[in-house]
Amino acid sequence: MAGLNIPGVTDQYNTNDTVEKLMKIERIPLTREQNQLESLKTEKNAWRDINSKLTSLRDNTKALYSFENPFNSKLTSSTEEYAITAEATRSAAIQSFKVDVLQPATSDRFLSKELETDFKVPQGTYTYKVGEKQVAFNWKGGSLKDFSAAINKRGNNIIKSTIIGASAGKKTLLIEAIPTGKDNKLIFEDDAKTFAFDCGMIDKVKSEKHTFATSQKEILPVSKKEYGESIYMPELSLAKVRYNEENNNVEVDPRGAYQIKIPEKILRDPNLHLQFTITQKGTEDITPEINKSLAQPELPDAGIAEYKGIVINNNQSDANLDLPAEPPSPLDPLNTNSVVYAVMEDGSEKVIPYSPAEDGKPSQIDIKLSDYQGIKSIAIKNLNTGTSLVVSDFSAVDPVKDLGYGPVHAVSIADDAIIKYEGIKITRPSNKIDDVVPEITLNVHDKTERTATISVKPDVDASKAAIIEFVGKYNQAVAELNILSQNKPELIEELDYLTKDEKEEEQKKLGLFQSDFSLTSIKSNMATILSAKYAFSDSAEITLLSQLGVATNASGYSGGYTQSKLRGYLEIDEKKLDSALENHLDDIKMIFGFDSDGDLIVDSGIAYKLDKQISAYTQTGGILAMKTASLDSKIKSSESKISKLESQMAKKEAELRNKYSQMEGSLNSLEAQQNTISNFTKQQQNQSR
């Protein structure tokens, strides 16, 4: 196989080098276009970078004058943080006030007696109520641990349970209400109540109930009111009301009415509910009898006299009965459920909803006193004409307390938080109190040993951090503008915060847009905005950014000419800034953004003007967006051209390789023929010898 040549594979005549040299010349347009594409992409990335820097600066400036600007942030402190702390909104006033915590709000937390470790909770329907919320579930029976887990799974921020190790081999079950406040009592119902008794968590206690309206002397007449009834309808009357001492109730006939004055000691407790029953009984309607009395009398005919064919008509009676010109319309029976009224201190009345029970059974009426502020008595007005009422005695109860049972082992009892704010006693159901001091939430933790002083001050540190961040963002944007608009390597070397790789990336963009006026324009405009004076009021003491200790030469160094001082970067004199923030925070807030025309909308200031200036560049459809859009079009065109040139180059290279392969094959064939002839000649010469 020695000396075997395969055209296109072996390169006996250096055809591969020849093709590559020819293709290098052919690829010049492609290479030029590829370099152009790379340059376009570099420009696009540069525009994206400056857009990113300017957008970041814009976001920062917006935060300096928006509603959530850091100059409105507040800090609170408490001299008794173990007992009470506070949170202030941005609108809170700078102030200090004194608070005493008499007691924090608590919740019901009840322990069972000691139970055996293998104690089983019986199956049943377990219902727990806390205030107006409840948790109910069916329990199939099981261990104390599983039962506790079942409560916690369904607790829903209403109740929770914990198993606590007691003595050796014993456990206790803790069930607690999560909401605090005395109105959020933990109530057991259904099998939960039976189980609570059985496990020693609760026991029976005497009911607390105040009864009144138990005698005839407490039944008082009602004041006359207009109800839009016919003048012939009998007035409401106390005469149709009687107290039945045998049955301890009040019987009210049709059109009967009375009122019961609520005792003062009951009115003093808004948590009490008034409870009584009303039973409706059908009776003979009074309207038919009334309608009979309303009918006009029928006078007999005067008659006639006749004598020998002569008829004489008698005159009609001239008795003056004073009858109406037209007879009154008959009364219709009345049937209404508006029979219970709350009589207020000013004499007004409010209807209390009432729905009669079916089959003549008593209907329970429950009136929560806190729903009727200013109530003084309850009026029963039987406006009906065919129904009588039987009203029971009145009771005043606290539904939460009047359960008939109480805890045996109470870890804590539901109660309200009680504080004194500037000497005023205040009660709230929660330990988070946000309606006493405007824009401030008080967090009660424990009883105070001495009066706590709550202070609200501006968050100076937040304001300082925001200004420092603003300076950093501004300098980063200026640095990027400098690099893109000037071909000076020292611009990059001066940026100590850049890593080596970041400096190499910036080097690629150095002076890329030297001839682009838009970059020098925005830099100049931003510098003008920062150096301008903002006299938002005649009494303003801070009207220049430099008065905060923020300027291009804030350090005040004058030791000679320094090129870096001319780059446009901002410096901070920290001592001067701290002093300004401490003494002129309101002025500082205003120079970043204020309302100049009284329409309550910020329309001037450093941050506001920077925001508007940068927006023209960074917003959708802005200057930078137009530049990147133009580059996108060029990049797309260049990529299309490159794709076409690459196809042409591939075709051209294939043609050249095919031609040179054929040539190499022909040469190899001629060389083989020559070798054959030469070998034949040598053989002939050898034979002739």
Side-chain angles (χ1 to χ4, degrees):
M1 296 296 292
L4 179 63
N5 291 308
I6 303 175
V9 178
T10 56
D11 193 15
Q12 183 178 359
Y13 301 102
N14 294 323
T15 54
N16 288 335
D17 289 342
T18 303
V19 170
E20 285 299 324
K21 290 176 181 178
L22 292 173
M23 285 306 301
K24 186 174 182 180
I25 297 172
E26 293 289 340
R27 288 194 187 101
I28 290 175
L30 175 60
T31 303
R32 186 187 305 116
E33 194 61 40
Q34 288 174 332
N35 291 337
Q36 177 66 18
L37 176 61
E38 193 64 30
S39 177
L40 291 172
K41 288 182 176 180
T42 300
E43 288 183 23
K44 181 179 178 180
N45 290 335
W47 285 121
R48 283 181 172 176
D49 288 344
I50 190 60
N51 183 71
S52 176
K53 293 288 194 303
L54 289 174
T55 298
S56 180
L57 174 59
R58 181 194 175 195
D59 291 342
N60 180 268
T61 59
K62 287 179 75 72
L64 289 174
Y65 75 88
S66 68
F67 173 76
E68 296 184 352
N69 69 79
F71 310 110
N72 284 336
S73 297
K74 304 296 191 303
L75 290 177
T76 60
S77 62
S78 170
T79 57
E80 310 295 319
E81 289 194 351
Y82 70 91
I84 185 168
T85 55
E87 300 169 14
T89 68
R90 301 169 57 79
S91 302
I94 306 301
Q95 60 184 304
S96 65
F97 51 88
K98 297 186 181 299
V99 178
D100 292 283
V101 179
L102 304 184
Q103 69 178 42
T106 51
S107 61
D108 276 339
R109 304 176 68 211
F110 301 159
L111 270 173
S112 71
K113 64 183 180 182
E114 292 187 358
L115 305 170
E116 298 293 335
T117 304
D118 59 354
F119 180 87
K120 300 295 182 183
V121 180
Q123 68 176 20
T125 300
Y126 287 76
T127 303
Y128 299 91
K129 287 186 176 181
V130 179
E132 296 180 354
K133 299 179 180 180
Q134 76 171 30
V135 174
F137 61 95
N138 293 321
W139 172 248
K140 64 181 179 180
S143 68
L144 200 62
K145 179 181 178 181
D146 291 340
F147 179 71
S148 177
I151 291 177
N152 292 332
K153 183 178 180 181
R154 299 166 176 83
N156 223 7
N157 288 324
I158 300 173
I159 62 170
K160 66 179 180 179
S161 171
T162 307
I163 296 177
I164 301 173
S167 56
K170 302 281 187 177
K171 301 288 184 182
T172 56
L173 177 67
L174 173 67
I175 297 180
E176 57 184 302
I178 295 176
T180 58
K182 65 180 179 181
D183 286 339
N184 290 316
K185 289 286 186 181
L186 176 59
I187 300 173
F188 304 87
E189 292 187 353
D190 302 326
D191 293 305
K193 184 175 180 180
T194 303
F195 172 65
F197 274 112
D198 292 343
C199 72
M201 189 171 287
I202 60 175
D203 202 356
K204 292 182 179 180
V205 295
K206 187 177 180 180
S207 174
E208 296 182 12
K209 182 180 291 188
H210 308 281
T211 304
F212 61 102
T214 58
S215 66
Q216 183 71 38
K217 66 180 181 180
E218 295 183 66
I219 298 176
L220 306 174
V222 298
S223 58
K224 291 184 178 181
K225 297 285 183 181
E226 296 293 335
Y227 296 99
E229 299 173 334
S230 169
I231 59 173
Y232 300 105
M233 182 65 71
E235 290 185 354
L236 298 174
S237 172
L238 184 62
K240 297 178 182 181
V241 178
R242 56 196 170 275
Y243 186 80
N244 189 326
E245 294 185 359
E246 182 179 349
N247 297 323
N248 295 324
N249 56 35
V250 178
E251 297 173 356
V252 186
D253 292 337
R255 307 300 295 174
Y258 73 100
Q259 66 175 320
I260 297 295
K261 187 176 181 181
I262 304 171
E264 286 295 328
K265 67 177 182 179
I266 293 176
L267 291 176
R268 285 195 292 267
D269 189 349
N271 295 310
L272 294 179
H273 289 224
L274 302 184
Q275 296 178 347
F276 58 97
T277 63
I278 296 180
T279 306
Q280 280 195 5
K281 292 184 178 181
T283 187
E284 184 178 356
D285 199 288
I286 63 175
T287 54
E289 192 65 30
I290 297 172
N291 288 333
K292 285 181 181 181
S293 66
L294 294 177
Q296 294 186 5
E298 295 183 6
L299 298 177
D301 193 349
I304 59 175
E306 183 178 357
Y307 180 73
K308 294 182 178 183
I310 299 172
V311 177
I312 299 174
N313 293 313
N314 292 329
N315 290 333
Q316 295 293 329
S317 173
D318 61 356
N320 186 10
L321 299 179
D322 196 22
L323 297 174
E326 294 183 6
S329 300
L331 298 179
D332 294 325
L334 290 180
N335 184 20
T336 178
N337 291 331
S338 298
V339 297
V340 184
Y341 295 82
V343 181
M344 316 308 286
E345 292 177 349
D346 59 2
S348 62
E349 295 179 351
K350 294 182 180 180
V351 177
I352 296 175
Y354 155 70
S355 297
E358 298 178 355
D359 303 327
K361 295 180 180 179
S363 294
Q364 180 74 33
I365 309 295
D366 188 290
I367 303 171
K368 187 177 181 181
L369 288 180
S370 60
D371 291 340
Y372 296 90
Q373 297 291 333
I375 189 173
K376 70 171 185 178
S377 60
I378 299 294
I380 305 297
K381 299 184 178 184
N382 189 5
L383 301 171
N384 299 294
T385 57
T387 303
S388 63
L389 307 176
V390 177
V391 185
S392 71
D393 291 342
F394 285 66
S395 296
V397 298
D398 186 335
V400 176
K401 296 180 179 178
D402 193 55
L403 299 173
Y405 61 81
V408 178
H409 308 285
V411 177
S412 63
I413 299 295
D415 208 346
D416 293 337
I418 303 176
I419 65 171
K420 275 189 177 181
Y421 167 67
E422 298 291 359
I424 303 171
K425 190 174 181 181
I426 295 169
T427 301
R428 292 293 184 272
S430 172
N431 285 320
K432 187 175 284 290
I433 304 173
D434 59 5
D435 59 351
V436 172
V437 187
E439 305 297 333
I440 293 177
T441 298
L442 300 175
N443 298 309
V444 177
H445 309 296
D446 203 351
K447 181 179 179 180
T448 51
E449 296 178 1
R450 54 182 177 269
T451 301
T453 299
I454 306 293
S455 300
V456 182
K457 297 180 180 179
D459 189 350
V460 175
D461 289 341
S463 299
K464 180 178 179 180
I467 292 174
I468 292 173
E469 183 181 3
F470 162 71
V471 171
K473 298 289 185 184
Y474 180 86
N475 286 344
Q476 288 178 357
V478 170
E480 195 70 14
L481 291 170
N482 287 339
I483 290 170
L484 292 173
S485 60
Q486 302 176 53
N487 190 9
K488 298 178 180 179
E490 60 269 23
L491 290 172
I492 300 174
E493 294 303 321
E494 290 171 357
L495 304 178
D496 297 333
Y497 58 84
L498 294 178
T499 64
K500 182 179 179 180
D501 291 340
E502 288 173 337
K503 286 184 178 181
E504 290 177 358
E505 287 298 316
E506 293 298 324
Q507 194 69 41
K508 297 177 184 178
K509 297 183 290 183
L510 188 62
L512 195 58
F513 303 130
Q514 291 185 76
S515 60
D516 196 308
F517 176 73
S518 61
L519 297 183
T520 54
S521 175
I522 188 174
K523 178 184 174 184
S524 175
N525 290 340
M526 290 195 305
T528 300
I529 290 171
L530 263 61
S531 61
K533 183 177 182 179
Y534 297 91
F536 51 87
S537 73
D538 295 337
S539 60
E541 296 187 37
I542 301 289
T543 57
L544 293 167
L545 186 64
S546 59
Q547 292 176 302
L548 305 184
V550 179
T552 54
N553 188 25
S555 61
Y557 175 73
S558 58
Y561 172 79
T562 306
Q563 183 66 33
S564 62
K565 296 284 185 182
L566 303 179
R567 309 292 192 208
Y569 301 129
L570 292 176
E571 297 178 349
I572 297 176
D573 182 338
E574 193 167 357
K575 289 184 178 179
K576 194 173 182 180
L577 177 60
D578 288 341
S579 176
L581 287 169
E582 189 67 33
N583 300 304
H584 304 290
L585 185 60
D586 287 341
D587 284 2
I588 295 173
K589 171 190 171 184
M590 297 300 281
I591 69 167
F592 280 104
F594 64 94
D595 169 25
S596 64
D597 55 11
D599 62 356
L600 303 180
I601 299 176
V602 173
D603 55 16
S604 188
I606 294 171
Y608 174 83
K609 290 193 172 183
L610 276 178
D611 175 24
K612 298 306 174 187
Q613 176 66 38
I614 298 171
S615 293
Y617 284 75
T618 60
Q619 67 186 355
T620 303
I623 295 172
L624 298 183
M626 292 173 61
K627 290 183 179 295
T628 54
S630 175
L631 286 171
D632 284 338
S633 178
K634 292 179 181 179
I635 288 171
K636 185 176 181 181
S637 175
S638 180
E639 288 175 340
S640 177
K641 191 173 182 180
I642 288 172
S643 178
K644 185 176 180 180
L645 287 171
E646 285 177 339
S647 297
Q648 292 175 356
M649 294 303 101
K651 184 177 179 181
K652 183 67 175 179
E653 184 175 1
E655 290 176 355
L656 288 173
R657 290 193 181 280
N658 183 49
K659 289 179 180 180
Y660 277 91
S661 177
Q662 291 178 1
M663 180 194 72
E664 187 174 350
S666 297
L667 291 174
N668 288 337
S669 177
L670 290 173
E671 185 178 359
Q673 291 177 10
Q674 182 182 3
N675 290 336
T676 300
I677 293 171
S678 177
N679 290 335
F680 178 76
T681 302
K682 288 180 181 180
Q683 287 178 358
Q684 292 298 321
Q685 289 176 352
N686 291 332
Q687 289 177 0
S688 62
R689 291 178 186 173

